[in-house]
Each structure stands twice: as C-alpha cells, then as structure tokens.
Amino acid sequence: MRRAVGQWGLRWIGCAAVVLATACDSDGKAADAPGCDESEGGSAGEAAVPIAIDCSFSFADVQTDVTYLVGEDVETMVGGKLIASGNLSDPEYESRTFSLTIYAEDSSVLATSIYQMSRTQRPANEFHGDHGFTGLNWVKDPDAQENVQYACFARDPADPVHAWEN
C-alpha cells in the first residue's frame, strides 16, 4: 500500500535536504553548524590540547602508578589477581575518550568505565582529596577480598607525572 507524501511533506523534505546540503562548507566544516566542528567540545578552529592520563592504584599498601598516552593500550597488574587495562583515544573528528577496565586473571571483568572529554581542554582534576577527574574508585579482588583503590589525573604530557603521595 503506497501513501501520498502530501504538499507539506514534500516541502519539509525539500527544506531538510537544503539544510543538510548547506550545513557544512566544501571542506566539511562550518563555524556555526552542529556536527561540522572538527574540535569536538570546543569552538571551531581551536586546536586540540595534548593530554596524558596518570592513574594511581593502591592494593594492600602497595601503590602502582601508570601513565596512559594517546593510542597505547596498557595492561598492568595492580594487586592480587587484578589487572588494569587502559586506553586513551583521541580521534581527530570525534571526542577524546579514556577507558579503564579492571579484570581478574581469569578474564572476568569486575569494573569498566569510559570517560568522554573535550579535545580542546583537559578534564579538571576536581575531586577533593587528590582524586583526579575520575574520583576515588575501588574494586574488590574476589580471591583476596581486598580492594584496589584508584584515581586518574589528566595532565599535559610535558608536565611531571601526577601520582598519589603518601
């Protein structure tokens, strides 16, 4: 069964086609067009700021500090049978993301988080008590029944590593 689009439907389709066709300029970008801004999370033309993520993990009074750089998958034993797997992704035309998964040696995932952030500014390390942009988190080792605590911090890669201080 076919339906007639009607006069208003054709006008709407025509307007939508014009808006979509003119939303971005010939380079695929326009200063005021949503979705055409190459620097997701900032104004058109703003440069992406460099970023590194430092995470401090504490398990049974032993601290492990890890730095995540763009494009590197890093797996680290963080205490007991727990492994932290992190990735900092910074694609040119999408938002920057940091993902962190804590899993056990048997590959069972115990926690996972994804943080989306702007390419034109680093996330603020805003949580009280030196708990970075992630806040204080903890995951229990199912065998040892002890927690690994962790927090992650954003910084300029040219700055010194940020780690918890005892």
Side-chain angles (χ1 to χ4, degrees), residues 3-21:
R3 290 186 179 209
V5 174
Q7 177 182 357
W8 291 108
L10 287 175
R11 284 186 184 168
W12 185 88
I13 291 170
C15 290
V18 169
V19 168
L20 290 174

Side-chain angles (χ1 to χ4, degrees), residues 19-88:
V19 168
L20 290 174
T22 61
C24 298
D25 64 18
S26 62
D27 292 333
K29 299 171 228 145
D32 298 328
C36 296
D37 183 1
E38 69 178 284
S39 57
E40 182 74 25
S43 298
E46 278 188 70
V49 296
I51 189 168
I53 304 291
D54 299 321
C55 295
S56 291
F57 301 90
S58 179
F59 185 89
D61 295 324
V62 175
Q63 183 168 313
T64 303
D65 299 312
V66 181
T67 296
Y68 300 92
L69 301 174
V70 173
E72 297 179 0
D73 290 322
V74 178
E75 291 191 347
T76 308
M77 293 294 298
V78 292
K81 293 183 177 180
L82 300 180
I83 301 164
S85 177
N87 177 275
L88 178 57

Side-chain angles (χ1 to χ4, degrees), residues 34-165:
C36 296
D37 183 1
E38 69 178 284
S39 57
E40 182 74 25
S43 298
E46 278 188 70
V49 296
I51 189 168
I53 304 291
D54 299 321
C55 295
S56 291
F57 301 90
S58 179
F59 185 89
D61 295 324
V62 175
Q63 183 168 313
T64 303
D65 299 312
V66 181
T67 296
Y68 300 92
L69 301 174
V70 173
E72 297 179 0
D73 290 322
V74 178
E75 291 191 347
T76 308
M77 293 294 298
V78 292
K81 293 183 177 180
L82 300 180
I83 301 164
S85 177
N87 177 275
L88 178 57
S89 176
D90 192 13
E92 185 175 359
Y93 296 106
E94 297 177 26
S95 66
R96 180 179 273 175
T97 60
F98 174 65
S99 61
L100 185 66
T101 300
I102 307 292
Y103 63 95
E105 285 179 339
D106 68 1
S107 298
S108 59
V109 173
L110 303 173
T112 190
S113 299
I114 298 175
Y115 301 90
Q116 293 181 303
M117 53 195 88
S118 168
R119 295 189 76 237
T120 59
Q121 62 185 23
R122 284 178 285 279
N125 293 322
E126 62 184 313
F127 287 95
H128 181 72
D130 196 28
H131 296 146
F133 69 91
T134 61
L136 178 63
N137 297 275
W138 60 93
V139 176
K140 186 176 293 280
D141 180 318
D143 293 335
Q145 293 299 305
E146 290 194 47
N147 292 321
V148 62
Q149 293 185 330
Y150 66 92
C152 299
F153 316 91
R155 68 174 169 86
D156 184 319
D159 292 342
V161 171
H162 183 125
W164 279 335
E165 295 199 20

